[in-house]
Amino acid sequence: MYVADYISLALTTEMTDRCVSQSEVMLKGKKTGVMVEGKVLEGVVCVYSHCYLLFLTHDCIFEETLTLALVDLDKNRLLESLWIGQVYQTDIFTGLRICDDKILFEFLAKKTWVLQVLQTARIRFPLSLNALIHRGFQFKSYFQLKH
């Protein structure tokens, strides 16, 4: 795993009161066709040879959320995404670091988050017990996230 500085975003939809901002993932300046929710690319980690973990925010000063998106740029698709946040809470994403097979960062609640990205998705219960973590209704996940 390493921090990848050759991934960028191209904003396609600005955030409004009815929708969140969306961007296209760019690989070395070229469009990939992969769409993710977010406007500001806070960091990128290459977790496997062609899979990248993107940390994105929406640039909303009153209610900032952090989106984690796992993309496969070999197949040009979004594998999984989730977001961290609470209503009327804001924070700054900081402290991105790699420690063995885990990614550590700070966001919300002034605690260190520990994320492990799995090579294959595992079965999971589709509801989250953590009020800060918001996932779609899905029965598999590549993420093991705790704080």
Side-chain angles (χ1 to χ4, degrees):
M1 279 195 287
Y2 62 90
V3 175
D5 60 355
Y6 47 86
I7 303 291
S8 60
L9 294 179
L11 184 66
T12 58
T13 306
E14 191 72 52
M15 182 172 17
T16 67
D17 60 343
R18 296 176 193 252
C19 68
V20 296
S21 51
Q22 287 201 329
S23 299
E24 183 173 0
V25 178
M26 308 283 283
L27 175 63
K28 297 180 181 176
K30 295 182 180 171
K31 294 182 177 185
T32 63
V34 179
M35 303 302 291
V36 291
E37 289 185 358
K39 179 178 180 179
V40 179
L41 186 61
E42 301 287 350
V44 180
V45 174
C46 178
V47 290
Y48 303 111
S49 63
H50 52 276
C51 290
Y52 296 87
L53 178 66
L54 284 65
F55 295 89
L56 307 121
T57 56
H58 295 280
D59 195 26
C60 180
I61 59 172
F62 301 113
E63 191 174 273
E64 189 64 90
T65 60
L66 177 69
T67 299
L68 282 64
L70 182 64
V71 296
D72 180 338
L73 294 184
D74 189 38
K75 297 177 182 168
N76 289 339
R77 65 185 185 124
L78 176 66
L79 297 174
E80 183 178 0
S81 69
L82 62 81
W83 60 275
I84 301 171
Q86 276 186 313
V87 176
Y88 304 119
Q89 293 289 321
T90 191
D91 200 359
I92 298 171
F93 172 80
T94 58
L96 177 64
R97 56 201 181 280
I98 299 167
C99 185
D100 297 326
D101 64 342
K102 295 178 177 51
I103 300 166
L104 291 76
F105 61 93
E106 282 83 36
F107 184 79
L108 222 55
K110 306 296 183 220
K111 294 184 180 178
T112 299
W113 293 84
V114 179
L115 173 68
Q116 185 172 10
V117 180
L118 308 171
Q119 284 189 337
T120 56
R122 294 209 177 133
I123 303 288
R124 66 173 288 278
F125 187 68
L127 301 176
S128 178
L129 301 176
N130 188 325
L132 297 176
I133 301 172
H134 307 273
R135 302 176 188 245
F137 192 79
Q138 54 195 6
F139 287 96
K140 63 180 185 172
S141 177
Y142 291 90
F143 298 141
Q144 289 183 335
L145 179 64
K146 60 184 175 181
H147 73 92

